[in-house]
Amino acid sequence: MRFTADRVCIVMMSAVGDAVHVLPVLHSLKRANPACKITWVLQPGPAMLVKGHPLVDEIILFDRTKGVRGFLDVRDQLKSHRFDLCIQLQVYFKANIVASFVKAPVKLGFDFARARDLNWLFTSHRIPPHAMQHVQDQYLEFCEYLGAPTTPVTWGLGPWNDQERSWQREFYSKIERPAVPIVVATSKAQKDWLPERWAEVCDALYADFGLQPVLVGGKSEREVNAERVIMEKTSHKPISALGNGGLRGLVGIFDGAALVISPDTGPLHISVALDRPVVSLIGYSNPKRVGPYRKFQDLMIDVYGEPGEDYPISMENRPDRMPRIKVADVLEKVEVWRNAYEGKH
């Protein structure tokens, strides 16, 4: 199919990491047709990340916390819209319901094998079957089907305006060493690392590498608890930026960082999109599917697989793996960063 649509609706509503993976799709569509207007149905959380992106013409918010009212609100917002194309990147049933509100002659979704929750009933066209691959590549399959160029893979996620640059300068004006943001927790406990070990890493970053650890994330119970433990157990106290500046603030912090350290969560993909080196700690989810995309593989700690295991790409989750990561494993990767990346990004 050759991409000719002038009005496009994208249905991908949740997860910050998934929102990051959608951004190269926007670039691909706009390269194929610079005049196309893109409307994106998003939940409030990831909407904070992409609001103001120069390639997003409109965001329609879906607030799932409102229950049925949230679906009705989206339906009401979409009533006056007519699209040439709906790209349904999310296969959960809630996304199917939202896609049913979109008025478009072409609704493009996944092939039958990858379409869960009866997703295929809500689409008119489907991309060809393909072996499972990285989520980013799966999304780019939609662009390939449409004949839109998929290279270069571009995110365009950095600070966009003078206000964000000013915020970034103010944040870093008080930090005298190269900063290392540490993502202390995720949305799923099984993906988290132990706060006591984060504390050891913080002390080593400061004392042995001359770096300034910065705790980043939100203010959830587990994040606040991790912050408390780290502060109690460190000799060299990190800077805490939990909840500071929201997701756009996080982009500004990462953009100015020397190195990022993160488990498997949305900020990991933000770091990759910004081309900031990231030490990734991955054990619960399959890193071949959700790990750092085409970059910084040498900085990844993979305890998802057993030593020497050539595991396939899959959606299988493996619980209770993260405690296998030792402090020495993380510091070894920081040493790799120092030798291969320091001063080059």
Side-chain angles (χ1 to χ4, degrees), residues 46-67:
M48 292 171 54
L49 178 68
V50 302
K51 183 179 180 182
H53 193 288
L55 301 189
V56 180
D57 297 284
E58 179 185 23
I59 292 175
I60 290 181
L61 291 179
F62 167 65
D63 189 346
R64 67 176 184 177
T65 64
K66 293 183 178 179

Side-chain angles (χ1 to χ4, degrees), residues 46 92 139 172 179 214 233 269 312 316:
Y92 298 122
Y139 290 178
Y172 275 105
V214 180
K233 293 186 174 294
H269 305 295
E316 176 195 0

